[in-house]
Amino acid sequence: MRSPRPYAPRTGPGAQSLTERRKAATQLDIARAACELFAERGPDGTTAEDIAHRAGVALRTFYRYFRNKQEAVAPLLAGGGDTWRALLAEEDPGTPLTEALERAVTRSLSGQQAVEEGLEVTRGLLRAAADDPALRAVWYRVNQDSEEHLVPVIGRLAGPGADPREVRLLAAAATDAIRVALELWSATDAPVSGPGSPAELAVRCLRDLTGAMPLLR
């Protein structure tokens, strides 16, 4: 099973070195293995040794990157947020924020690879997290990090005169809309596309959470 967001090295200023790219690829391999095993066996039935073996790395390599087995899923979960922020960043300043947000959310949750791979991986992982507080903590932390990285993206689209408070609130609402949508969807057997899908639920959640926000009027 491939990653829902294949590793793509940056180019130009700030590009990663070959060593950094190799480290990131190894982390992603470990994260992918952890997600597979948690979905198959549950967190209680999975050890760090199991994850390292599935990823094809030594146990010491696992602990070089992650403190425990739950932490190992973070790079894979973070990929979804990276994707949707990148899509939002492609929007031109001055584009109505409602349109930009809904378009980016829809694209990130309905792209071919997300539909074929990433969403089912997320569903299995969130189901496994239901009974594992440490795994849920990683999920919440990844979402918090995504929210913080979303603030400057929304700020750029909103323009220099935007109220920082409103920008922060919108970043929080948009992040929570996707988080809640994925959690609700993962608890069901709804399809990955169409009615009841993550993309459809996320847009509905986004509208409910942001409908009264001044920044979107």
Side-chain angles (χ1 to χ4, degrees), residues 137-150:
V138 174
W139 168 244
Y140 293 140
R141 192 194 73 228
V142 166
N143 277 274
Q144 179 63 41
D145 290 343
S146 182
E147 177 187 322
E148 293 175 2
H149 290 125
L150 183 60

Side-chain angles (χ1 to χ4, degrees), residues 20-42:
E20 290 171 330
R21 294 199 300 272
R22 285 174 175 168
K23 287 180 179 179
T26 299
Q27 288 177 309
L28 195 55
D29 286 341
I30 294 171
R32 187 183 305 119
C35 288
E36 291 175 0
L37 287 168
F38 287 157
E40 293 171 9
R41 308 177 186 175

Side-chain angles (χ1 to χ4, degrees), residues 156-177:
R156 183 186 69 86
L157 294 175
D163 185 333
R165 178 184 62 86
E166 294 179 7
V167 171
R168 287 292 302 274
L169 284 173
L170 183 54
T175 301
D176 277 348

Side-chain angles (χ1 to χ4, degrees), residues 57-75:
V57 301
L59 184 59
R60 65 179 179 274
T61 300
F62 175 93
Y63 281 116
R64 185 182 306 152
Y65 296 118
F66 304 106
R67 293 178 299 176
N68 56 54
K69 61 186 180 182
Q70 287 89 352
E71 290 283 342
V73 305

